[in-house]
Amino acid sequence: MAELLLKHSFAAAFLLTVLSLTSSFTTVESSSFSQNLSPSSLGLNKPEKLSHLHFYFHDIVVGKNATAVRVAQARTTTASSPFGVVVVFDDPLTVSPDIGSEHVGEAQGIYAFASQTDSSLLVAYNFAFTEGKYNGSSLTVLGRNAVSSAVREMPVVGGSGTFRFARGYAEARTQSYDLKTGNTVVEYNVYVLHY
Ligand SMILES: *[C@@H]1O[C@H](CO)[C@@H](O)[C@H](O)[C@H]1NC(C)=O
Ligand SMILES: *[C@@H]1O[C@H](CO)[C@@H](O)[C@H](O)[C@H]1NC(C)=O
């Protein structure tokens, strides 16, 4: 019995060796999975540009035109904050605090109340632009938004289209807050490096 097991384990070890040799050969031979490119092949040989974008974000949480919806919350919590609430939003972006002013895109994503003691948010969203040379391009924001602070800074971690390889930061300042409805207008200054 012991001898049989030993034979089996030799066979298994042999098979494993053959398999791993085969797969390492395949890796070496396959060149389409990954290759080095010259940065100029993607137009990255020119200097990066620094762009400043300025717009207003409208978070409408009540009414039939709401642009932000609560999708989850904690069943029980002892926190002195809305800890656990998750909101999905598709908020219009305009050039002035007036929602009827020129529309430049949407902020689309999620914010979650991630502090047990205040209204600090974890945010994960995209600015999806629809205007001019930025139409169809996006910037991705991932970070912390301590909404009670006068100025909140969030990292811009990437982008698409005009904003490929983008990085930078977004500064948010509350422009107005409706105590009755919770609707908020936020001024954004976004600074990004991109090609
Ligand atoms: C909702 O949007 C429509 C169309 O823009 C507008 O006419 C209406 O006044 C809005 N309703 C509210 C409650 O804001
Ligand atoms: C933005 O791009 C879309 C899709 O190509 C197009 O339908 C739309 O008219 C463009 N908008 C502006 C303001 O250029």
Side-chain angles (χ1 to χ4, degrees), residues 62-78:
V62 296
K64 73 173 162 61
N65 295 342
T67 59
V69 291
R70 183 185 287 214
V71 295
Q73 63 194 41
R75 193 173 294 172
T76 56
T77 169
T78 55

Side-chain angles (χ1 to χ4, degrees), residues 6-159:
L6 202 61
K7 262 191 203 151
H8 273 288
S9 57
F10 271 126
F14 178 71
L15 199 62
L16 273 180
T17 313
V18 170
L19 278 177
S20 65
L21 280 178
T22 323
S23 64
S24 62
F25 281 136
T26 349
T27 314
V28 170
E29 279 164 14
S30 158
S31 61
S32 58
F33 170 61
S34 149
Q35 60 193 117
N36 291 329
L37 294 178
S38 118
S40 62
S41 67
L42 290 181
L44 306 183
N45 49 337
K46 45 187 185 186
E48 279 178 291
K49 290 192 282 277
L50 175 63
S51 295
H52 171 209
L53 292 89
H54 179 237
F55 49 80
Y56 293 82
F57 166 111
H58 303 265
D59 198 44
I60 305 165
V61 297
V62 296
K64 73 173 162 61
N65 295 342
T67 59
V69 291
R70 183 185 287 214
V71 295
Q73 63 194 41
R75 193 173 294 172
T76 56
T77 169
T78 55
S80 56
S81 68
F83 183 52
V85 167
V86 179
V87 174
V88 176
F89 61 96
D90 182 4
D91 286 350
L93 306 174
T94 59
V95 296
S96 89
D98 173 6
I99 195 166
S101 66
E102 188 189 350
H103 177 256
V104 295
E106 265 72 38
Q108 298 173 332
I110 292 171
Y111 55 82
F113 287 82
S115 164
Q116 297 191 73
T117 51
D118 61 29
S119 290
S120 298
L121 309 175
L122 164 72
V123 300
Y125 63 89
N126 297 309
F127 288 125
F129 298 103
T130 53
E131 194 44 54
K133 63 178 174 176
Y134 299 132
N135 189 11
S137 296
S138 66
L139 286 172
T140 299
V141 177
L142 176 66
R144 176 172 188 259
N145 184 349
V147 294
S148 56
S149 304
V151 186
R152 290 87 72 183
E153 180 179 326
M154 290 159 275
V156 172
V157 297

